[in-house]
Amino acid sequence: MVEGAVTVAVFDVNIAGNGTANVMSYLQDEMQPDTDAMAPLNLGDLDLTTNEFILDEVDIYIQANLEDDLVKEALKTGVDLRHYSKQVEGELQRIEQASIKDYIKESQNIASLHNQITACDSILERMEGMLSGFQSDLSSISSEIQTLQQQSVSMNVRLKNRQAVRSHLSQLVDELVVPGAMIQVIVDSPVTEQEFLDQLHELNNKINFAKELSFRETLACSDVQDIVDRLKIKAVTKIREFILQKIYSFRKPMTNYQIPQNTLLKYRFFYEFLLANERTVAKEIRDEYVDTMSKIYYSYFKSYSGRLLKVQYEEVADKDDLMGVEDTAKKGFFSKPSLKSRNTIFTLGQRGAVLSPAELEGPILIPHTAQRGDCRYPYETLFRSQHYALLDNGCREFLFLSDFFMVAGNSVLDLFNSVMGKTLSLFLKSMSTYVSDCYDSIAVFLCIHIILRFRAITTKRAIPALDKYWKAVLELLWPRFELILQMNIQSIRNTDPQKLGVLDTRPHYITRRYAEFSSAIVSINQTFTSERTHTLLGQLQVEVENFVLKMAAEFPSRRDQLIFLINNYDMMLNVLKERAADDSKEVEGFQQLLQARSQEFIEEILSSPFGGMIAFVKASEALIEKGQLDRLKNDEARITQLIRGFSSTWKQSVEALSQDVMRSFTNFKNGTGIIQGALTQLIQYYHGFHKVLSQPTFRSLAVRSELINLHHLMVEVKKHKPNF
């Protein structure tokens, strides 16, 4: 059955119409054994006598048959191959008959299967036809889709091209077409209307577009060029009249020109339009503005400066009001009356307030108000008011010129100089006149620092327009200040102490002048430090120190000389400390001088009542260092006199010393310090006296028991210390 089933699988469709008989005959043919395949190898088929025989072939056949399983089994059992061959043949015939019967038995099913297969083939054939139709339809659809895609791409390109052309054409048409509303507004509306300004922007765009098209030789441009040109002329005419009217309004008396300036800034596009489309008119307007504002500023500041001078102090310093000039100096018959107090020339007082931020940038002075109130001011106050007005107006004008006329860099500086040049020249001329006859060094120095601060303000505001003017003013003021200071230095150098009146140990008025002046200059100079100023003050200080020494030399006694020196040094130091820093050169210099002279004075006042003891202590200490103290062992009488004399008179001497010191010095605090120093020095000397007498050379002296206990002496001395 197994082999029969395998044979069925190879049926061909050719037996479909032959019926059962055909099937049977076919099966019989198929089931015939393949005798050629099943026949054993016959050695007789080999031609052993031929010349082509090769023994190797025989070996190959033999080996091939020996590998067969049946041959192997037969050889093992020793079966006769003929008998075994017949047995196998019989078995094959029985199997063949059984297989034929099975095929006949299943012939109906096989025929049915054949019919079903045939039906399936017809169905599959029809399906194949349908699928072929579908395939042809799909191929045609694909070609149609490709055609539609190509048409879509082509239509998309044409659409984009049309849109691009439309946008360019619509923009061209929009830019070229002049609406009736624009014509009406430009012709009829006032220039101050927002509507006019909006349409002017549009007109400017159309003018620029028409210019661009004319370069490309666009024919459509010629259709609207005439209308655009006429509208441009109309707009230029109206703008010119408006701006000139505003400029002419500046010329009216008592007019606040900042109001029309703000109006012009609101309509700054008007000038931009003129500059782009009618440069001749733009230049006319700028020249008219420059001419008008130049005259206005010149007239205003000339009038204001003249009125300010009317409220200046009538008494001003002259060439004879110098630091070294004596108060008793006599003037000629035709000379001007001297200042009531020359000290006011060298004293800062409240004049330094002009540099404070509140007053520096405060409101300017109103001359007629000051005149009604009978107020008078120093020159630096008038100078501050005048230049702050210049600063304020100059900054505002610079910003207006930059904004309205659309200029920058050197162009705006040149335009600013055209407007403010005459005014600045007026100021410089006025300053030159004042400076040439000014001898008030503090006023000049304050003016210098006012300019330095104003220059810092303009730098902070990024306004470079006034930089050259500030530099020119400083070039006028600095040399004058140095000249006045040199004159004062020379006046002190030339001072003759014998012509200064009665000698007095109190502070001299010349040193007071110097102290006030030096403290004023140092305090002003702290913010904007100048080495030129420090150098001049150093020269002045040297001359004052020499002057004090010359004056002290006029006193007959060294004690009076020291009192004079200490009083003057102390006064100058205290005045300087009020305004100058404690670490300034001037303060440190006078501190050292005061300390040295005070120590010398202490030695001087102690030498009178306690000179013997002091001399003995100094001599003994020198001998102790040399190891020669034995040379004084015979001075017992002198030592006894010193011990008993000190014990009996020290209290009276200290009291007299304290009273004398307090009478000698004008500054009680300084006198107290000197007394404290003197008492401290006295205790140190007495302590040294104790140490000398404790040496082996003097230990046997009986008078040592009369020495005052050092601690007791210190307690008693404290009772004499003055308190102020």
Side-chain angles (χ1 to χ4, degrees):
M1 287 300 290
V2 175
E3 292 180 7
V6 173
T7 306
V8 171
V10 297
F11 273 16
D12 190 81
V13 293
N14 293 327
I15 66 173
N18 295 329
T20 305
N22 293 333
V23 171
M24 293 300 294
S25 63
Y26 174 77
L27 290 175
Q28 290 176 358
D29 294 337
E30 287 295 320
M31 294 303 295
Q32 288 296 327
D34 188 357
T35 58
D36 294 334
M38 296 181 63
L41 179 64
N42 189 0
L43 297 175
D45 295 336
L46 298 173
D47 187 3
L48 301 176
T49 63
T50 60
N51 294 330
E52 299 176 354
F53 174 73
I54 301 174
L55 290 178
D56 292 338
E57 294 182 0
V58 176
D59 291 336
I60 293 171
Y61 282 110
I62 293 173
Q63 290 298 328
N65 286 283
L66 288 177
E67 293 297 326
D68 187 83
D69 292 337
L70 293 177
V71 175
K72 288 181 179 181
E73 185 179 357
L75 290 175
K76 287 180 181 180
T77 56
V79 178
D80 185 5
L81 293 176
R82 292 187 181 94
H83 177 75
Y84 184 76
S85 174
K86 291 180 180 179
Q87 183 181 354
V88 171
E89 185 178 355
E91 289 292 331
L92 289 173
Q93 288 177 355
R94 285 195 301 272
I95 291 171
E96 179 182 358
Q97 293 298 322
S99 298
I100 292 171
K101 290 179 181 180
D102 288 338
Y103 277 114
I104 293 171
K105 184 179 180 180
E106 295 295 331
S107 62
Q108 294 296 327
N109 293 334
I110 292 172
S112 176
L113 178 62
H114 176 72
N115 293 333
Q116 290 176 1
I117 291 172
T118 303
C120 287
D121 286 342
S122 64
I123 292 171
L124 291 175
E125 185 177 1
R126 289 196 302 273
M127 290 183 68
E128 182 180 4
M130 291 174 63
L131 292 175
S132 298
F134 288 156
Q135 184 177 7
S136 63
D137 292 340
L138 287 175
S139 62
S140 63
I141 290 173
S142 176
S143 63
E144 290 178 2
I145 290 174
Q146 290 179 355
T147 303
L148 290 174
Q149 185 177 7
Q150 292 174 357
Q151 292 176 355
S152 176
V153 171
S154 176
M155 292 174 65
N156 189 29
V157 171
R158 289 198 300 271
L159 177 61
K160 289 183 178 179
N161 292 337
R162 289 178 181 179
Q163 288 178 343
V165 171
R166 179 182 177 183
S167 64
H168 286 296
L169 286 177
S170 61
Q171 181 181 0
L172 177 65
V173 172
D174 291 340
E175 293 290 346
L176 283 178
V177 171
V178 180
M182 176 186 291
I183 298 173
Q184 183 179 0
V185 170
I186 295 296
V187 174
D188 298 333
S189 296
V191 296
T192 55
E193 295 290 337
Q194 182 63 34
E195 190 178 22
F196 180 87
L197 186 60
D198 295 339
Q199 293 299 332
L200 188 66
H201 279 281
E202 291 296 327
L203 177 60
N204 189 55
N205 292 334
K206 292 184 183 299
I207 293 173
N208 293 333
F209 190 70
K211 289 179 181 178
E212 182 180 351
L213 292 180
S214 65
F215 291 137
R216 301 179 186 175
E217 298 181 355
T218 305
L219 297 178
C221 178
S222 59
D223 296 337
V224 296
Q225 188 67 49
D226 183 59
I227 299 175
V228 171
D229 289 342
R230 284 189 289 173
L231 283 178
K232 180 181 73 173
I233 293 172
K234 183 63 177 179
V236 168
T237 303
K238 294 178 71 173
I239 291 172
R240 175 181 177 277
E241 292 176 357
F242 172 75
I243 297 179
L244 289 178
Q245 181 184 2
K246 291 297 179 185
I247 294 175
Y248 293 152
S249 67
F250 295 167
R251 302 176 181 179
K252 296 179 181 179
M254 306 300 292
T255 298
N256 184 358
Y257 60 87
Q258 294 176 2
I259 296 176
Q261 271 187 340
N262 292 335
T263 304
L264 289 177
L265 285 177
K266 183 180 178 182
Y267 300 103
R268 64 172 65 86
F269 181 71
F270 288 171
Y271 185 79
E272 182 180 349
F273 181 82
L274 295 178
L275 196 62
N277 300 289
E278 198 63 50
R279 287 185 172 272
T280 304
V281 177
K283 184 177 183 304
E284 177 191 2
I285 288 176
R286 189 174 74 172
D287 293 344
E288 191 66 33
Y289 176 84
V290 168
D291 181 65
T292 299
M293 292 307 298
S294 177
K295 292 178 180 177
I296 289 174
Y297 281 126
Y298 181 81
S299 175
Y300 166 74
F301 279 106
K302 182 178 181 180
S303 174
Y304 183 68
S305 300
R307 292 178 181 178
L308 280 179
L309 293 177
K310 293 180 180 180
V311 294
Q312 184 182 359
Y313 281 131
E314 295 180 357
E315 292 185 350
V316 294
D318 59 19
K319 62 181 180 179
D320 294 323
D321 294 313
L322 300 174
M323 197 176 296
V325 175
E326 60 275 14
D327 282 341
T328 58
K330 296 182 180 180
K331 299 294 185 76
F333 181 76
F334 295 103
S335 62
K336 296 189 299 183
S338 175
L339 293 179
K340 295 179 180 179
S341 176
R342 282 195 183 88
N343 289 336
T344 58
I345 305 172
F346 308 104
T347 304
L348 184 61
Q350 297 300 319
R351 298 171 70 180
V354 74
L355 298 178
S356 64
E359 189 167 340
L360 187 69
E361 299 184 54
I364 63 174
L365 292 177
I366 309 300
H368 61 271
T369 304
Q371 284 180 319
R372 283 202 302 267
D374 198 22
C375 297
R376 291 291 183 269
Y377 301 94
Y379 179 77
E380 63 271 9
T381 302
L382 309 181
F383 182 87
R384 196 279 319 174
S385 182
Q386 181 187 41
H387 281 79
Y388 187 68
L390 175 65
L391 168 69
D392 187 51
N393 285 275
C395 291
R396 183 185 296 274
E397 186 64 29
F398 180 83
L399 295 175
F400 175 83
L401 295 174
S402 302
D403 198 359
F404 185 78
F405 292 105
M406 297 180 297
V407 287
N410 292 330
S411 298
V412 69
L413 293 177
D414 293 339
L415 189 59
F416 180 84
N417 290 331
S418 299
V419 175
M420 301 293 293
K422 290 176 62 178
T423 302
L424 298 180
S425 298
L426 172 69
F427 272 39
L428 290 175
K429 184 177 180 181
S430 175
M431 281 294 303
S432 178
T433 303
Y434 168 77
V435 165
S436 63
D437 195 36
C438 176
Y439 296 90
D440 188 350
S441 53
I442 290 182
V444 175
F445 198 61
L446 285 171
C447 291
I448 290 173
H449 278 264
I450 288 171
I451 294 298
L452 293 175
R453 284 161 172 78
F454 282 166
R455 185 173 65 180
I457 291 173
T458 55
T459 302
K460 184 178 180 181
R461 295 181 184 179
I463 306 293
L466 292 171
D467 289 350
K468 290 185 178 179
Y469 174 75
W470 301 140
K471 182 180 179 181
V473 173
L474 291 175
E475 288 176 352
L476 282 174
L477 294 175
W478 271 116
R480 189 62 187 181
F481 174 72
E482 294 174 355
L483 176 62
I484 299 173
L485 216 55
Q486 289 292 350
M487 293 173 65
N488 281 284
I489 293 172
Q490 189 62 37
S491 68
I492 294 176
R493 185 181 298 129
N494 297 336
T495 300
D496 185 358
Q498 296 181 356
K499 297 181 179 180
L500 297 180
V502 181
L503 291 176
D504 192 347
T505 57
R506 291 175 296 181
H508 200 274
Y509 58 82
I510 290 181
T511 58
R512 180 171 292 279
R513 291 175 188 172
Y514 161 77
E516 294 287 352
F517 177 78
S518 182
S519 65
I521 299 300
V522 170
S523 64
I524 295 171
N525 199 48
Q526 287 177 351
T527 304
F528 292 89
T529 305
S530 169
E531 290 300 324
R532 300 163 68 178
T533 305
H534 285 308
T535 302
L536 291 170
L537 286 179
Q539 297 176 10
L540 181 62
Q541 181 178 350
V542 169
E543 294 301 328
V544 170
E545 291 175 5
N546 292 336
F547 165 76
V548 172
L549 293 176
K550 286 193 297 183
M551 285 297 301
E554 295 295 316
F555 290 92
S557 66
R558 183 58 182 169
R559 178 179 176 278
D560 290 340
Q561 292 177 1
L562 292 173
I563 292 174
F564 177 80
L565 293 173
I566 292 172
N567 276 330
N568 282 274
Y569 292 153
D570 178 65
M571 181 272 298
M572 290 187 285
L573 183 62
N574 288 328
V575 173
L576 284 170
K577 282 184 175 181
E578 290 178 3
R579 297 186 182 275
D582 292 340
D583 58 349
S584 64
K585 295 180 180 179
E586 293 78 12
V587 171
E588 291 180 353
F590 284 114
Q591 279 180 336
Q592 294 174 1
L593 291 172
L594 178 62
Q595 185 177 0
R597 298 309 179 200
S598 297
Q599 189 61 37
E600 184 180 353
F601 180 75
I602 289 172
E603 296 291 339
E604 182 71 22
I605 59 176
L606 290 177
S607 63
S608 178
F610 308 108
M613 180 189 69
I614 294 172
F616 177 78
V617 170
K618 290 181 177 180
S620 300
E621 289 176 347
L623 291 174
I624 289 173
E625 290 180 1
K626 297 177 181 180
Q628 300 176 357
L629 190 60
D630 292 341
R631 294 174 56 182
L632 299 177
K633 62 182 180 180
N634 297 324
D635 289 348
E636 181 178 354
R638 179 186 176 190
I639 294 172
T640 301
Q641 181 182 1
L642 291 175
I643 293 175
R644 292 174 178 173
F646 182 84
S647 300
S648 60
T649 63
W650 77 268
K651 290 185 178 181
Q652 296 84 351
S653 298
V654 168
E655 184 67 29
L657 181 147
S658 299
Q659 293 178 1
D660 183 42
V661 169
M662 297 310 297
R663 286 194 302 267
S664 300
F665 298 102
T666 55
N667 184 355
F668 290 138
K669 184 178 180 180
N670 183 42
T672 302
I674 290 176
I675 292 175
Q676 290 178 353
L679 296 179
T680 301
Q681 189 67 31
L682 175 62
I683 292 173
Q684 290 179 355
Y685 279 133
Y686 199 70
H687 180 252
F689 191 51
H690 268 262
K691 288 177 65 178
V692 170
L693 295 182
S694 65
Q695 296 294 321
T697 305
F698 304 112
R699 285 178 184 174
S700 60
L701 296 178
V703 75
R704 289 183 67 248
S705 61
E706 299 182 20
L707 285 171
I708 301 174
N709 182 271
L710 191 61
H711 180 71
H712 176 71
L713 178 64
M714 293 173 63
V715 173
E716 290 296 325
V717 164
K718 286 183 179 180
K719 297 179 181 179
H720 293 273
K721 185 173 71 172
N723 295 315
F724 292 100

